[in-house]
Amino acid sequence: MVREWDPRTASSAEVASLLDTLNAVLTVDLPQDPPWQGHSVREYLSEVMPGERRISWVAQGDPAPDGTPGPIVGHVHVLLLGGIGVLEVVVHPAARRRGLGRELVRVAARRVWDEGFQSIGVEVVGDTPAVGFYESLGFTRDYVETRSVLDLRTVDWPALTEMAAGVDAGYRVEFWPGGPPDELLEPYARAKAEVREVDDGELRPSSYDPERLRDSLDTLHRRGMKPYIVLAVHEQTGEVAGLTEVVVPAQHPTRADQYDTIVVREHRGHGIDRAIKARMLLELRSAEPDLAEVQTWNAQANEAMLKVNAELGYRPDRDWCEYGVDVAELVHRLDSHR
């Protein structure tokens, strides 16, 4: 049975059942990834940025003989933002190959269509059954990154300390756990709004402004995700010349997620990228003693960042792909095969 589901009002037993399914999927598809823990899972699934909406459905197995509701064996949510619906589907390995995944996608796609959105996007992890599944539904690959993972047990900390001190004179590097103070939000936003070279080598503007940055940091905290920010500040002007962001989720606190790393174009060539990322790792070592790994995503075209990551000790793990599809085509395909 597939039904719409609100994690904010769901029972603790349902949230725990979904967590069991998430970890069963990880065990089969991503066995090297740390299991999810029960901290702030409800908040992770429900909190969104202003102007965004998240809609969820679950599939439950058969009830027990005593009438106890069956376990959650499938889950889909769609995040509606801008002109796109971003999909995420999980199906318990024991419930796969029965059409459940297609039904979850159909229900979500129909809602996206009814809401007036034109396209659906989804992140698909390479070398997992999800690749063939989404391609069979007509999704096409738009973008590919490689995930790399840094095992903190392998870090050469003295060498890292030297890298952190390697920024040229005229810049100071600052660490801001939880997010920068209000007086730095505007220069921070200007740095993020730079036209920046992203991992596929194309130029894309960042959409952040000071208010959106504040909302983003607040949303991370509400979702149980602790942000850490390192900024390189140009001492003469007070401008943010570079930044790097890492988030430690309460749901898997032993592995952190690297977010943006940006060096403003006019300040490149001063060792900022290597210094700020090294400083971040040094600070995390003290701030998050249980942290074991950091994961980041890059495209092979971004040679400069790949070089920095390799020097820091990151090792490529697997491809991470973005797929997309026209909503109308997807709804028609799924409805016609019911």
Side-chain angles (χ1 to χ4, degrees), residues 51-242:
E52 299 176 357
R53 287 183 293 144
R54 191 188 307 271
I55 309 171
S56 298
W57 295 261
V58 294
Q60 285 185 268
D62 295 332
D66 64 358
T68 302
I72 291 177
V73 295
H75 174 254
V76 58
H77 69 242
V78 61
L79 180 65
L80 301 174
L81 70 164
I84 190 172
V86 181
L87 196 67
E88 185 171 338
V89 180
V90 293
V91 175
H92 195 289
R96 290 176 176 173
R97 300 188 179 278
R98 303 178 188 174
L100 178 56
R102 291 177 66 93
E103 178 62 13
L104 289 169
V105 172
R106 188 194 68 80
V107 170
R110 170 58 68 177
R111 176 63 65 84
V112 173
W113 173 251
D114 290 343
E115 295 275 352
F117 288 77
Q118 302 301 311
S119 60
I120 287 180
V122 62
E123 281 193 338
V124 181
V125 183
D127 298 322
T128 68
V131 174
F133 171 71
Y134 285 107
E135 290 182 350
S136 73
L137 298 180
F139 284 76
T140 58
R141 187 177 299 187
D142 297 325
Y143 181 60
V144 181
E145 296 178 302
T146 297
R147 183 179 73 170
S148 298
V149 179
L150 173 63
D151 184 341
L152 296 179
R153 297 171 300 180
T154 68
V155 169
D156 183 341
W157 294 104
L160 202 73
T161 301
E162 290 185 15
M163 292 182 197
V167 67
D168 287 352
Y171 298 92
R172 68 177 184 272
V173 177
E174 302 177 349
F175 173 63
W176 295 104
D182 285 346
E183 61 267 22
L184 281 176
L185 279 178
E186 187 171 343
Y188 180 22
R190 283 199 298 271
K192 286 180 72 75
E194 274 282 310
V195 174
R196 59 188 175 92
E197 186 176 8
V198 295
D199 294 342
D200 60 357
E202 297 178 359
L203 296 179
R204 297 179 181 176
S206 175
S207 62
Y208 286 94
D209 57 37
E211 190 59 37
R212 184 166 176 81
L213 266 178
R214 187 177 287 107
D215 289 339
S216 177
L217 291 166
D218 289 345
T219 302
L220 285 172
H221 284 291
R222 293 198 309 273
R223 297 185 77 199
M225 306 168 74
K226 188 184 301 182
Y228 292 94
I229 313 295
V230 170
L231 303 177
V233 178
H234 187 228
E235 293 179 325
Q236 184 177 356
T237 63
E239 292 298 304
V240 171

